[in-house]
């Protein structure tokens, strides 16, 4: 039974649930890697040694893959091929009469263009990032990644991608040019933007959250993390971090002060924040999405999901959640 604040109480299997949640993300990343290695006739070595470990436990393998030729993109234009179909669940976006055929194989991250309000999603199995057009098609806007885990979009149409297996944050401009804006990560699992051009990324393996300034300067934020996976920034410059193993959500104010804004989760993964001070969290351990209001009250707003991971919020308070094992993007009214 749910508690009065909307969360499912922790059971004795807490640690097992957390490990399961971390393994789930690892399995999704691993699926894309296996497909990639299979194409190079090397899948047997991957399967025999690493298939039961999350990616940040596979140090040697991850670094070996990241070092292979082509893993680090520089400034190459991409083929912006259109792919029919969309995975939008609930009411179709962009005034379509009905949803189209599901095409995504392994959706992980999602973002909403703050100006055009178009949806972007990463597909780790296809190693690409797609944009949903106004005609309801999925158009490829970035490719050649290893495991594109998370995505963010700025007001001028630049797309930022956290490639967890390559250890890099990439930028894709509207003309399709891809470049590296942040490196030196072990396994970045999320990416976020603020209003002045800073890029944020969380690295659970190294246990830090980084801010990358427009000039490329990188600064580590906060402290005491165990496994920070999700990161988000609100309109005031406050940074929110979902720390999966500590089972809490932290807030880092613009002056650097760090506080806990939500606890009692099982396996919080990704976060989003609105202009009213609400914070939204995917808790993979309870298969739900929760809201933390400015007073600290926590309420479950969607349950019964199948491994919810990435999420994004639009300016109409619509929340988009990647329900990864269902291969859907669920739209929720966050008001």
């Amino acid at each position: 039974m749910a508690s009065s604040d909307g969360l499912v109480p922790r059971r004795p299997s807490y640690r097992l649930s957390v490990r399961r949640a971390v393994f789930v993300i690892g399995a999704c990343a691993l699926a894309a890697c296996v497909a990639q290695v299979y194409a190079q006739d090397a899948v047997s070595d991957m399967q025999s040694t690493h298939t039961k470990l999350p990616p940040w436990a596979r140090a040697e393998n991850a670094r070996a893959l990241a070092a292979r030729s082509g893993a680090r993109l520089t400034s190459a234009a991409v083929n912006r091929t259109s792919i029919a179909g969309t995975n939008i669940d609930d009411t179709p976006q962009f005034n379509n009469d009905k949803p189209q055929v599901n095409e995504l194989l392994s959706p992980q991250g999602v973002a909403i263009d703050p100006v055009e309000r178009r949806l972007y999603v990463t597909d780790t199995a296809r190693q690409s990032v797609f944009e949903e057009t106004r005609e309801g098609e999925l158009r490829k806007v970035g490719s050649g990644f290893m495991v594109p885990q998370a995505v963010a979009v700025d007001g001028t149409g630049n797309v930022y991608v956290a490639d967890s297996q390559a250890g890099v944050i990439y930028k894709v401009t509207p003309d399709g040019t891809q470049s590296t804006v942040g490196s030196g990560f072990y396994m970045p699992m999320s990416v976020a933007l603020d209003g002045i051009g800073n890029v944020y990324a969380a690295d659970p393996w190294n246990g830090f959250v980084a801010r990358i300034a427009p000039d490329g300067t990188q600064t580590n934020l906060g402290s005491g993390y165990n496994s920070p996976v999700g990161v988000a920034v609100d309109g005031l410059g406050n940074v929110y971090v979902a720390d999966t193993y500590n089972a809490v959500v932290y807030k880092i104010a613009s002056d650097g002060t760090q506080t806990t804004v939500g606890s009692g989760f099982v396996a919080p993964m990704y976060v989003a924040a609105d202009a009213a001070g609400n914070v939204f969290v995917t808790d993979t351990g309870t298969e739900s999405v929760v809201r933390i209001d400015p007073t600290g009250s926590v309420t479950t707003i969607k349950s019964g999901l199948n491994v919810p991971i990435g999420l994004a919020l639009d300016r109409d308070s619509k929340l988009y959640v990647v329900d990864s094992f269902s291969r859907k993007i669920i739209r929720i009214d966050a008001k």
Side-chain angles (χ1 to χ4, degrees):
M1 179 179 295
S3 61
S4 58
D5 61 6
L7 284 180
V8 176
R10 291 194 196 181
R11 298 179 293 276
S13 59
Y14 163 71
R15 291 186 178 276
L16 179 61
S17 296
V18 173
R19 290 191 181 99
R20 171 183 177 272
V22 174
F23 171 77
V24 162
I25 282 189
C28 294
L30 183 58
C33 292
V34 168
Q36 186 177 42
V37 175
Y38 181 79
Q40 299 176 346
D41 296 323
V43 70
S44 58
D45 291 338
M46 171 80 80
Q47 291 176 327
S48 62
T49 309
H50 301 297
T51 53
K52 294 185 179 180
L53 294 176
W56 48 83
R58 296 181 290 107
E60 294 181 359
N61 180 63
R63 281 304 178 202
L65 282 174
R68 76 174 183 81
S69 177
R72 298 283 198 282
L73 305 182
T74 53
S75 296
V78 300
N79 178 14
R80 301 168 73 87
T81 304
S82 293
I83 294 181
T86 179
N87 267 31
I88 300 299
D89 197 24
D90 189 36
T91 306
Q93 199 179 14
F94 307 133
N95 298 317
N96 294 322
D97 292 332
K98 55 186 176 181
Q100 299 187 26
V101 178
N102 290 340
E103 288 289 332
L104 298 171
L105 298 177
S106 181
Q108 298 292 304
V110 64
I112 302 295
D113 183 327
V115 177
E116 297 293 332
R117 292 193 288 182
R118 296 184 183 180
L119 182 144
Y120 292 76
V121 60
T122 61
D123 189 331
T124 58
R126 286 198 173 99
Q127 299 174 298
S128 300
V129 177
F130 296 96
E131 170 198 42
E132 188 186 37
T133 69
R134 293 193 181 278
E135 292 72 36
E137 294 181 338
L138 291 180
R139 184 169 64 116
K140 186 184 295 183
V141 296
S143 61
F145 306 109
M146 296 184 71
V147 180
Q149 186 70 39
V151 62
V153 188
D154 67 19
T156 59
N158 296 304
V159 179
Y160 297 81
V161 182
D163 191 332
S164 62
Q165 201 71 3
V168 172
I169 306 298
Y170 295 113
K171 176 182 177 180
V172 185
T173 61
D175 68 1
T177 301
Q178 297 182 185
S179 59
T180 299
V181 297
S183 59
F185 300 100
Y186 191 87
M187 191 157 286
M189 295 295 287
S190 59
V191 61
L193 310 171
D194 65 17
I196 58 175
N198 294 307
V199 180
Y200 300 80
D203 188 331
W205 175 266
N206 286 322
F208 67 76
V209 174
R211 180 179 61 217
I212 306 165
D215 65 1
T217 302
Q218 182 172 306
T219 305
N220 290 352
L221 305 177
S223 62
Y225 303 123
N226 195 338
S227 183
V229 171
V231 64
V233 188
D234 68 17
L236 298 177
N238 299 306
V239 180
Y240 299 88
V241 181
D243 191 331
T244 303
Y245 272 179
N246 279 339
V248 301
V249 174
Y250 296 111
K251 174 183 175 180
I252 306 170
S254 55
D255 64 1
T257 303
Q258 179 174 304
T259 56
T260 298
V261 296
S263 60
F265 304 103
V266 174
M269 287 292 175
Y270 286 91
V271 288
D274 68 14
N278 296 297
V279 180
F280 302 89
V281 187
T282 50
D283 189 344
T284 305
T286 60
E287 309 281 20
S288 62
V289 179
V290 302
R291 179 180 59 229
I292 308 168
D293 72 19
T295 70
S297 177
V298 182
T299 305
T300 297
I301 60 173
K302 185 71 174 181
S303 59
L305 299 174
N306 194 2
V307 190
I309 300 182
L311 79 167
L313 190 69
D314 70 15
R315 64 192 185 195
D316 295 325
S317 297
K318 301 294 184 183
L319 194 66
Y320 297 80
V321 182
V322 177
D323 197 31
S324 59
F325 274 25
S326 296
R327 294 168 49 195
K328 294 179 180 178
I329 298 174
I330 309 296
R331 186 163 61 192
I332 304 168
D333 189 342
K335 291 181 179 179

